Amino acid sequence: MTTVLGLVAIELALTLIGVAQSTDQADPMMGFSKQVPLLERHVDEDGKVWMRTAENKLVWFNDQRFPLNKPANTQRIFCLGGSTTFGRPYDDNTSFAGWLREWLPRVDADTNHEVFNAGGVSYASYRVAAVMEELAEYEPDLFIVYTGQNEFLERRTYADFFDQSQAQLWLTGWLNKTRTYRVIDSLVRKKRPPKSDSNSIGLAAEVDERLNHTVGPSDYVRDEEWSNNVRKHFRFNVRRMISIAQSANAKILFVVPASNEKDCSPFKADPADDSFETGQRAFNTGDFETARKAFRLAIDQDICPLRAPSDFAQYIREVPESDDVRVLDFESDLRNLCRDEHGHEILGEEYFLDHVHPTIDAHRQLSRWLISEMHNAGWLAAESIALKELSRETVEDVNRAILGRIDRTTQGIAMRNLAKVMHWAGKFQVAAPRARDAIELLGGDAESQFILADCLRWTGRIDEAVVEFEKGVNAYPTYFRGVQRYGLLLLELGEDDSAREMFSIATLGWPETDPRHWSARFQLAIAHLGVSDFESAYGELQKCHEHNPSDMDVVFALAEASVGIGKTRWRSNCTSEFWLNFQTMLILISILPTRC
């Protein structure tokens, strides 16, 4: 009792002398080794001081700003999360934050609303929480958090943090809110040497995606222990965000994330798992309940999980609500909308541009649901009106304001980039429509044209692929990568003479210092072999062999060309034929020992 009373007395004394409560909600599992602030100070021509997105953060964040000194009668809203919050594949203009910025003055005209989009591309919950720590210093009124999709992107290990009991975690969290803890911790930090022990987990200053260091999702392997710890860390960071908001006397609104289920297969599935195929069959026969369960199982069992698993969504859904903590179930609301509009609750391309990023209209709908949630929670002025009470003219004004800011070229480039990423990841069914969008928005685009054709090729729509490849070759004959891809398709179709034409173009297009030159040259030689033009094949292969003597594909093709020349030119001359075959054997003998 004496100890408790003493601590209370110290806390009261610190309060009286003006020591603030601790807002340091540092993640004990992560040391942000080179953390660079999101915001930087900026003074405009009129001398007004603003906080804006730091220039070196604009690769991952939208260019945003707000006044350093919050004006009176202002509600400051920070929207946090990953690329969905950012507005990908577009930007802030058409994100739910951008829509909120237009709706709020119409429903709550007596309040000044500042909406700052702090969504970071590929940001997972631990990075979102770190951004939230920084923003908590700038008089926030409300945090809106959409997170859960990026938890498995970065390679991370875990120390012994999760071996702590719930009681230990609770006690640490409670102490971290006290002024006494802040004073003691600040004193300890001044004397604490830099962390160098093996249990310290450093996190780079910016996102270092695991996919950036791989050839794609193939690098992912099933690791239950790692996955379970990622899940525990996610739950920890959700609680941590609530604590940060409460320390800043701000409210927090979590959004349950939603994903494309039926129109995006797993990024890496177990060969024995046919959940996605089961879902497709059930959906096509109208068995929507079976389809929904199968599609959801496919997401949950994805070895390369780039969509939030079910338990992530469920954890956010079950966050205890209070006067300053609310949850918007975006996934459930979107399912209900899908049922009304399409007769089923399975989410797909009607609402998503790829695996997770909503369409512009889905962002619009999310913003409306957010406004309704804020209104129902009493977080808007008493005089505010419900969205349904807005006139049709007002709604149309908002639509025009947002859609009028869209630049077709910028949007087309965004679609092209999205098509490239999905094509790279092997998501050809997702990439194809985005490539079509890019072609339409840009009035034609070489890269998008050939991506579309290649996607059709890999999804078995060969006749359509040939048509699109022909369009590409005719319109963009110097886009050598696409021309070469068309040559490969023609080679597969047995149209070797046409393939020779494509590979000849590609060979001339790439300089000899580019590896693609030599791949095109080899493919040209194979096409020559296909039409029994052994002389031409031999000439190309000799150059390839001189460039890379250890390439066994070239060696065996060279042998085939040599034999072909002997059979066709000197069939009656046994000595010459023997000599060519002898040359072939010498080539093979010279290389095989080094390969073995």
Side-chain angles (χ1 to χ4, degrees):
M1 181 62 71
T2 303
T3 302
V4 171
L5 290 174
L7 289 172
V8 170
I10 293 172
E11 189 73 9
L12 288 173
L14 292 172
T15 302
L16 291 173
I17 63 175
V19 175
Q21 283 182 300
S22 175
T23 57
D24 179 16
Q25 306 294 327
D27 186 342
M29 285 176 290
M30 294 291 177
F32 281 75
S33 57
K34 300 176 182 177
Q35 186 181 355
V36 180
L38 170 64
L39 303 176
E40 63 182 10
R41 186 173 296 212
H42 168 70
V43 181
D44 65 18
E45 296 177 353
D46 299 326
K48 186 174 181 178
V49 182
W50 299 81
M51 299 305 298
R52 69 178 184 186
T53 309
E55 187 174 354
N56 58 0
K57 290 286 188 177
L58 292 177
V59 174
W60 298 277
F61 292 85
N62 284 287
D63 190 1
Q64 303 273 282
R65 71 175 189 173
F66 60 86
L68 175 61
N69 299 313
K70 187 169 74 172
N73 193 36
T74 294
Q75 184 182 49
R76 181 166 286 175
I77 301 172
F78 292 122
C79 299
L80 297 109
S83 54
T84 294
T85 304
F86 178 97
R88 279 292 176 98
Y90 309 121
D91 55 23
D92 169 71
N93 279 330
T94 55
S95 70
F96 68 81
W99 284 99
L100 281 176
R101 212 174 284 119
E102 293 295 331
W103 289 122
L104 284 168
R106 270 85 171 182
V107 299
D108 188 5
D110 295 331
T111 305
N112 176 42
H113 299 277
E114 295 175 354
V115 181
F116 185 92
N117 187 332
V121 175
S122 297
Y123 265 49
S125 61
Y126 46 91
R127 289 192 181 273
V128 173
V131 171
M132 193 173 175
E133 278 184 341
E134 180 181 349
L135 297 178
E137 301 293 327
Y138 297 98
E139 303 178 84
D141 294 291
L142 172 62
F143 292 105
I144 298 176
V145 181
Y146 188 121
T147 190
Q149 306 282 28
N150 298 320
E151 300 305 302
F152 296 90
L153 268 181
E154 289 186 279
R155 285 186 182 273
R156 290 175 291 143
T157 55
Y158 295 84
D160 298 327
F161 178 81
F162 289 120
D163 292 335
Q164 297 183 51
S165 67
Q166 290 297 316
Q168 286 175 299
L169 290 173
W170 176 85
L171 181 60
T172 301
W174 181 81
L175 287 173
N176 201 32
K177 298 177 184 179
T178 65
R179 294 170 174 82
T180 306
Y181 183 91
R182 180 174 187 174
V183 171
I184 295 173
D185 186 58
S186 64
L187 293 174
V188 170
R189 287 191 183 196
K190 290 179 180 179
K191 298 182 179 181
R192 183 185 297 158
K195 288 185 178 181
S196 60
D197 60 285
S198 60
N199 287 331
S200 174
I201 304 171
L203 196 62
E206 207 35 87
V207 174
D208 187 22
E209 293 180 15
R210 184 174 183 175
L211 290 175
N212 284 340
H213 305 290
T214 71
V215 294
S218 59
D219 185 60
Y220 279 73
V221 296
R222 199 174 295 285
D223 186 337
E224 294 300 334
E225 182 180 2
W226 175 68
S227 295
N228 289 337
N229 282 334
V230 170
R231 285 171 160 81
K232 291 177 181 177
H233 197 195
F234 173 73
R235 294 193 291 270
F236 166 80
N237 277 302
V238 170
R239 297 193 299 269
R240 177 182 168 207
M241 285 184 237
I242 295 173
S243 181
I244 294 171
Q246 290 174 339
S247 296
N249 296 316
K251 300 172 178 62
I252 187 167
L253 172 54
F254 288 100
V255 179
V256 177
S259 304
N260 183 342
E261 300 168 320
K262 72 177 177 67
D263 296 310
C264 184
S265 60
F267 284 82
K268 184 178 181 182
D270 190 305
D273 178 25
D274 65 346
S275 300
F276 186 74
E277 290 74 17
T278 298
Q280 287 181 311
R281 289 193 296 271
F283 183 83
N284 291 334
T285 60
D287 185 356
F288 298 135
E289 185 59 29
T290 298
R292 175 178 168 180
K293 291 178 180 178
F295 285 133
R296 177 45 56 179
L297 184 61
I299 291 177
D300 290 343
Q301 293 184 342
D302 196 339
I303 298 172
C304 179
L306 302 183
R307 290 171 287 185
S310 298
D311 57 328
F312 281 37
Q314 190 60 29
Y315 184 76
I316 296 177
R317 197 175 279 122
E318 295 173 353
V319 166
E321 293 190 315
S322 63
D323 290 342
D324 55 5
V325 179
R326 298 295 285 254
V327 174
L328 171 67
D329 196 338
F330 180 46
E331 182 185 76
S332 296
D333 288 345
L334 205 55
R335 288 193 192 283
N336 293 335
L337 180 64
C338 186
R339 185 185 61 245
D340 294 341
E341 294 182 341
H342 303 286
H344 59 78
E345 298 182 357
I346 303 169
L347 304 180
E349 63 184 1
E350 298 85 356
Y351 305 104
F352 294 92
L353 293 166
D354 55 12
H355 58 305
V356 294
H357 297 116
T359 63
I360 292 175
D361 195 57
H363 271 286
R364 173 183 179 274
Q365 189 60 62
L366 173 55
S367 72
R368 291 176 65 90
W369 287 328
L370 287 168
I371 294 286
S372 296
E373 188 68 33
M374 294 165 63
H375 189 272
N376 294 338
W379 293 351
L380 299 177
E383 298 78 15
S384 63
I385 61 175
L387 278 169
K388 61 183 180 182
E389 298 175 14
L390 293 177
S391 66
R392 177 180 297 180
E393 291 76 11
T394 300
V395 173
E396 290 176 354
D397 284 346
V398 170
N399 291 337
R400 280 194 296 268
I402 294 290
L403 301 179
R405 290 198 291 263
I406 295 176
D407 178 78
R408 285 181 64 86
T409 300
T410 301
Q411 196 173 29
I413 292 172
M415 288 292 95
R416 179 178 64 199
N417 290 338
L418 182 53
K420 288 167 62 176
V421 171
M422 291 294 103
H423 178 271
W424 167 81
K427 297 295 163 206
F428 305 115
Q429 290 180 323
V430 179
R434 302 293 77 82
R436 288 188 191 276
D437 291 341
I439 293 167
E440 180 183 353
L441 289 164
L442 296 173
D445 178 68
E447 190 168 16
S448 302
Q449 181 64 47
F450 284 107
I451 287 175
L452 171 60
D454 205 49
C455 288
L456 294 171
R457 168 199 176 194
W458 287 110
T459 52
R461 298 158 65 179
I462 302 301
D463 291 342
E464 295 175 68
V466 170
V467 170
E468 296 300 336
F469 269 123
E470 284 290 341
K471 287 181 183 177
V473 170
N474 292 331
Y476 313 104
T478 59
Y479 190 78
F480 304 114
R481 182 185 305 169
V483 172
Q484 188 172 356
R485 283 179 183 165
Y486 186 29
L488 289 172
L489 174 59
L490 292 170
L491 205 60
E492 291 176 7
L493 296 175
E495 298 182 18
D496 300 295
D497 207 42
S498 297
R500 289 202 295 177
E501 182 183 354
M502 296 302 109
F503 293 134
S504 296
I505 294 172
T507 301
L508 295 173
W510 305 119
E512 292 189 7
T513 54
D514 193 319
R516 290 171 293 189
H517 170 88
W518 297 103
S519 67
R521 187 155 236 161
F522 174 73
Q523 290 154 0
L524 174 59
I526 298 301
H528 285 319
L529 289 175
V531 295
S532 299
D533 185 353
F534 300 112
E535 291 270 7
S536 297
Y538 188 84
E540 296 295 339
L541 290 166
Q542 275 282 55
K543 294 173 183 176
C544 291
H545 182 61
E546 291 169 5
H547 173 71
N548 184 6
S550 64
D551 190 325
M552 289 301 295
D553 290 332
V554 172
V555 169
F556 283 106
L558 190 57
E560 182 181 349
S562 299
V563 172
I565 291 173
K567 287 182 177 179
T568 56
R569 181 184 292 180
W570 297 288
R571 188 174 301 278
S572 61
N573 188 334
C574 295
T575 304
S576 297
E577 184 172 349
F578 170 80
W579 176 243
L580 279 170
N581 286 326
F582 180 68
Q583 282 184 309
T584 301
M585 292 298 297
L586 287 177
I587 292 171
L588 292 173
I589 290 171
S590 69
I591 191 63
L592 283 175
T594 62
R595 300 296 291 179
C596 295

